[in-house]
Amino acid sequence: MTSTDEARGTTSTEPVWWGWGPAVAHDPLPESVRLLLARLGIPSRPTPPVGLAEVRLPPARLPAAARDALAAIVGDRHVRGDDESRVRHCRGRSTTDLLRLRAGDASAAPDAVVLPADHDEVLAVLRLATRERVVVVPFGGGTSVVGGLAPTGQPGRPVIALDLARLDGLGRVDRESGTAELGAGLRGPRAEALLAEHGLTLGHVPQSWEYASIGGFAATRSSGQASGGYGRFDDLVVGLRVATPAGSWDLGRAPASAAGPDLRQLMLGSEGAFGVITQVVCRVRPLPARRLHEGWSVPDFVTGTRLLRTLAARDLRPTVCRLSDETETIAGLARPPRRRPAARDRAAQDDGPGGDATTGGCHLITGYEGPGPAVARRANEVAEVLLAGGARRLDADAGADWEQGRFRAPYLRDSLLDLGIFAETLETAGFWSALPALYAGVRGALVDTLGAAGLSPVVMCHISHLYETGASLYFTVVCGQGADPIGSWRAAKVAAGDAIVAAGGTITHHHAVGTEHRPWLGAEVGPLGEDVLRAVKRTLDPAGILNPGILVA
Amino acid sequence: MTSTDEARGTTSTEPVWWGWGPAVAHDPLPESVRLLLARLGIPSRPTPPVGLAEVRLPPARLPAAARDALAAIVGDRHVRGDDESRVRHCRGRSTTDLLRLRAGDASAAPDAVVLPADHDEVLAVLRLATRERVVVVPFGGGTSVVGGLAPTGQPGRPVIALDLARLDGLGRVDRESGTAELGAGLRGPRAEALLAEHGLTLGHVPQSWEYASIGGFAATRSSGQASGGYGRFDDLVVGLRVATPAGSWDLGRAPASAAGPDLRQLMLGSEGAFGVITQVVCRVRPLPARRLHEGWSVPDFVTGTRLLRTLAARDLRPTVCRLSDETETIAGLARPPRRRPAARDRAAQDDGPGGDATTGGCHLITGYEGPGPAVARRANEVAEVLLAGGARRLDADAGADWEQGRFRAPYLRDSLLDLGIFAETLETAGFWSALPALYAGVRGALVDTLGAAGLSPVVMCHISHLYETGASLYFTVVCGQGADPIGSWRAAKVAAGDAIVAAGGTITHHHAVGTEHRPWLGAEVGPLGEDVLRAVKRTLDPAGILNPGILVA
């Protein structure tokens, strides 16, 4: 695929503008996946993205005076109106975003990209934008999969993407309290590298980790693959610095407080609609001395879910825990298990070769991080529960394979799109008692809707975030594109969203609302909740310049 | 003390109107405490409360039409205007509240007490109150120690106390998810009794547990003595049902969500100013098979604090953990340790009789709840850290003594007030690195202010809630009353509040804001925070009938 890199507008390690990560990181689709797709009747045909020069951009609407005023704040070279900058800040990384971009549609591109250096510059930009009625889209990693970077409802106004990449510093590290001040523009790897110099880690590792930003994690209530050990990102936040059109706001004076409502929780999940998070004070932990990932096969998804519930109820959540359903196990997208059972359990095996998805069962990954003895002990405690519940340990490579491939899915999606195959995800969460109906409802909605459109969907699911009271469900859909993939997906998404609401789940567990989930926000928070969000918005952003249409209609 | 019960207006097991709990539960002050007070130069003189008949009440201002309309909603016998009902709903249970009541001042009494049966009746009352401009003070257990039941700023309007005692049902128990629906009016013991029938517990045990209510726990972000094991009350809340003047609001669809800000967190800590919490869906756990409380002596408060930080950092928090400073240890209010070291550690003791506060050191209580093996293991792990850090195990009675006396402090306060001695508490929390300055600042402010007033204060402190990033500090002050105890305490409280803000702590860790902490709320949440609270208030309570002056000026 590197042969077309130049046409695609990149030859560097910079992420490609039409997809995920640098071009060199895109492997051709594995032969096993090709065969599987063929067996499932999903048609493929080469569908490369257009060249950057062919991308259609609307004329930039930012008035020269506003541009100059912005340049006076952030410096001339930090106001960018070139085509590539605009394309690179156009929409996020949902599959429909990528389909549009790959087809050369950058109609939603901002008119300019502004890169402030610090909190005060952000404040100044917001003041100017308020005065000039310029729409501001806060931009962290640009990895939204829910249309969080595509504001709506202010068609006449110029739009700037406020790229926070320069707010990339590590501030005060308070070793005694176990906290660190992190610039909102820090991407996952850089944040971890800076903390590692102090022997510390954040431990927040969502699939978007390579590109998503600290501010984005906070603004979207992100949850990482290691949430069982480190917590959701909102659990990690102890303080926030926010620039709003109404002024500066610092939140978080103590680990816990009864001084009224926890207003940090209003900014966590605010998706750039209430203010721009410029710094996050996070809980940090010592770098783990040991990391261990193990693979298991459980008899079926229902049994596996019950086992996870037992672990959560007994306060035995692994750092990482991912249970694939039967379909995902077969598709092997969560790393297909090997044929050899681990030596230590071989004696206990009496059911043939085992461990291969094709023999039935569901694949489970458990991971542990921490001091060596604690990892060993927790792994043993979990193993005891799993073995007693009918799980079978897979060979040691299963865990290692998962770890190695944990960030690969978005690259794989690019490879599928190159073959004209549609792939997208959606997620929800619910209380344990609601999970079976939630799973069946969403799965059924996706299969039925896409099936009716003749797209032969493969619908897979895994559980990847455990709580005492429930868990998340993460669905992956792979199907043909048909004549109108964007329209087909929209219909499927509507059906899935309705099914989630009907089954009592949340419309999103960690992807956020954006424009994609906006239709169901009312069902989630009620009309009073929408009124409250509107009132907060009016208070902090009276001119409505921040991400209009996001959270507040 | 029971000889004056009749004059005090009660002969039953009902709480006394002038203090805490039933009259029969008030023991005379232990001789050891009397001696200690005398040694410290704190003067005492018998100061009994006035009789109920002598209490001065303002004329009731509720118009007859409004009374009748309320009776039409809740039933005639659930609208009460008799003197005793009004006195019993006058203010909360801060020491200054009690000083006023004991002196016969019920000037802040509501004009009537209204007892709705359910959520819909609460809604109807709020609609009526909005129409008639009647101030509504939501009333749970009446145990506020921060003036949360004494709204201000609407002097002309009639005031009703909305007593939620009849909302005392246990709703759906979802065993699979580990959640239960609890009526807001349930007091601590009744809630636990209902859950115990299902083999479940909430595990939320603040000192006010005997009288405080589920709705109050939520509205004030309460934290219980077992917070290290069960979490703060806000950690236990998965869903809320709220009646507001603007309508009904249900919150919480999943264990976790990224569907915008977590709006439950706006109602947690809303202190009756935004709406009336009528039902709380709580996380519940199996009744613990074993409870174990142990006593320790650590060399000093600084060393003890460091040990608690180590426990928190290693994820080894006991279910209960209370470290008294040197003064509290000496005063023995946290149960004085015995002279006999525990048999199992006797061999390791080589420093004399030990374990007695008078030989120096600080007293620490650790408690564990759960399955037997888990309790034993955790206790051992904690013991290892404590012993390595210079702690010495006290005899087994120390833990049992604490457990037995855990709810006694408010009764003891009544006994002190009977002797004309002032006793009050205040609390804060901060990050570990801020704790030493926070401790010194608050302690110094209290000692200096009350000392300057010639009141010979004894200022004691303990840490009782641990977090990875910090801890709470809970101060108890005992001193003479002097000529103007209310004025003297106000001055001390102002100095302490200023000291908290200066040292970077939160103005309240679990007592809430009320009227007492209102002056510092701006420092805590910033002017934008206050604007946001005001906007939320306007949205949910446009006529400003709910607890005016609380949270929003």
Side-chain angles (χ1 to χ4, degrees), chain A residues 11-50:
Chain A
T11 52
S12 71
T13 56
E14 199 177 16
V16 292
W17 59 263
W18 46 264
W20 192 263
V24 292
H26 288 77
D27 302 324
L29 209 58
E31 192 53 27
S32 60
V33 177
R34 281 180 189 267
L35 284 172
L36 183 64
L37 292 167
R39 208 165 67 202
L40 292 166
I42 298 177
S44 73
R45 59 187 151 86
T47 312
V50 304

Side-chain angles (χ1 to χ4, degrees), chain B residues 8-10 12 14-18 52 82-91 93 101 109-110 113 139 141-142 149 163:
Chain B
R8 289 170 177 196
T10 177
S12 71
E14 199 178 15
V16 293
W17 59 264
W18 46 263
L52 183 56
D82 61 284
D83 286 359
E84 182 169 341
S85 291
R86 291 180 65 202
V87 170
R88 284 188 175 279
H89 291 80
C90 177
R91 302 183 180 274
R93 285 300 174 262
L101 280 173
V113 178
F139 190 99
L149 302 168
D163 189 323

Side-chain angles (χ1 to χ4, degrees), chain A residues 172 174-179 220-222 232 234 238-239 242 244 246-271 274 281 283-286 309 313 315-316 377-378 381 427 429-434 436 467-471 500-513 521 523-533 535-536 538-540 551, chain B residues 172 174-179 220-222 232 234 238-239 242 244 246-271 274 281 283-286 309 313 315-316 377-378 381 427 429-434 436 467-471 500-513 521 523-533 535-536 538-540 551:
Chain A
R172 180 184 177 218
D174 179 349
R175 295 193 69 86
E176 200 178 345
S177 307
T179 64
T220 60
R221 293 188 166 266
S222 171
R232 294 169 59 83
D234 40 304
V238 297
V242 187
T244 82
S248 199
W249 199 12
D250 287 288
L251 283 164
R253 289 177 68 85
S257 171
D262 186 350
L263 297 175
R264 293 173 300 195
Q265 302 287 339
L266 264 187
M267 289 309 305
L268 295 168
S270 60
E271 301 186 25
F274 294 166
V281 188
R283 189 187 303 196
V284 289
R285 273 76 172 237
R309 189 180 78 81
D315 202 13
L316 287 178
R377 194 178 75 194
R378 176 56 59 99
E381 290 167 338
E427 35 83 75
F431 296 112
W432 290 113
S433 62
Y467 304 90
E468 270 184 81
T469 58
I500 287 172
V501 169
T506 176
I507 192 66
T508 170
H509 169 264
H510 62 268
H511 279 175
V513 181
L521 188 61
E524 181 96 16
V525 302
L528 283 188
E530 294 197 284
D531 288 347
V532 164
L533 293 175
V536 174
R538 268 197 308 266
T539 303
L540 298 175
L551 284 189
Chain B
R172 181 185 176 216
D174 179 348
R175 297 192 67 87
E176 200 178 345
S177 308
T179 64
T220 61
R221 292 188 164 265
S222 172
R232 294 168 59 83
D234 40 301
V238 297
V242 188
T244 82
S248 199
W249 199 11
D250 287 289
L251 284 163
R253 291 178 67 86
S257 170
D262 186 349
L263 297 175
R264 294 174 300 195
Q265 302 287 338
L266 263 187
M267 290 310 305
L268 295 168
S270 61
E271 299 186 26
F274 294 166
V281 188
R283 190 187 303 195
V284 289
R285 274 78 172 234
R309 188 180 78 81
D315 203 12
L316 287 178
R377 193 177 76 194
R378 176 56 60 98
E381 289 168 338
E427 35 83 75
F431 297 112
W432 290 113
S433 61
Y467 303 90
E468 270 185 81
T469 58
I500 287 171
V501 169
T506 176
I507 192 67
T508 171
H509 169 263
H510 61 268
H511 279 174
V513 181
L521 188 61
E524 182 96 18
V525 303
L528 282 188
E530 294 196 283
D531 289 347
V532 164
L533 293 175
V536 173
R538 267 197 308 266
T539 303
L540 297 175
L551 283 190

Side-chain angles (χ1 to χ4, degrees), chain B residues 184-403:
Chain B
L186 277 169
R187 307 284 176 96
R190 178 83 183 132
E192 288 292 356
L194 290 171
L195 288 170
E197 290 173 15
H198 298 261
L200 298 169
T201 181
L202 198 50
H204 183 72
V205 193
Q207 195 167 69
S208 60
W209 177 75
E210 294 167 287
Y211 298 99
S213 68
I214 293 291
F217 295 150
T220 61
R221 292 188 164 265
S222 172
S223 193
Q225 294 166 348
S227 68
Y230 294 92
R232 294 168 59 83
F233 197 75
D234 40 301
D235 293 326
L236 298 180
V237 174
V238 297
L240 291 165
R241 175 144 235 234
V242 188
T244 82
S248 199
W249 199 11
D250 287 289
L251 284 163
R253 291 178 67 86
S257 170
D262 186 349
L263 297 175
R264 294 174 300 195
Q265 302 287 338
L266 263 187
M267 290 310 305
L268 295 168
S270 61
E271 299 186 26
F274 294 166
V276 179
I277 296 167
T278 59
Q279 186 183 72
V280 185
V281 188
C282 286
R283 190 187 303 195
V284 289
R285 274 78 172 234
L287 275 169
R290 189 173 173 212
R291 282 198 178 87
L292 171 68
H293 293 93
E294 300 186 317
W296 298 86
S297 179
V298 298
D300 52 58
F301 194 56
V302 171
T303 304
T305 304
R306 204 177 300 131
L307 284 170
L308 301 193
R309 188 180 78 81
T310 302
L311 292 177
R314 295 194 193 162
D315 203 12
L316 287 178
R317 291 187 296 168
T319 309
V320 172
C321 190
R322 302 169 76 85
L323 171 69
S324 296
D325 72 355
E326 285 81 357
T327 313
E328 187 171 284
T329 301
I330 291 169
L333 285 178
R335 300 298 112 191
R338 308 296 177 90
R339 283 177 184 279
R340 307 181 308 278
R344 52 184 158 172
D345 287 333
R346 202 170 292 153
Q349 308 283 337
D350 59 358
D351 51 356
D356 186 313
T358 58
T359 67
C362 286
H363 194 195
L364 168 67
I365 294 290
T366 55
Y368 311 89
E369 297 187 14
V375 163
R377 193 177 76 194
R378 176 56 60 98
N380 285 337
E381 289 168 338
V382 170
E384 202 173 302
V385 172
L386 295 178
L387 290 168
R392 207 175 53 218
R393 199 192 294 270
L394 299 175
D395 115 13
D397 292 345
D401 280 359
W402 175 80
E403 193 173 3

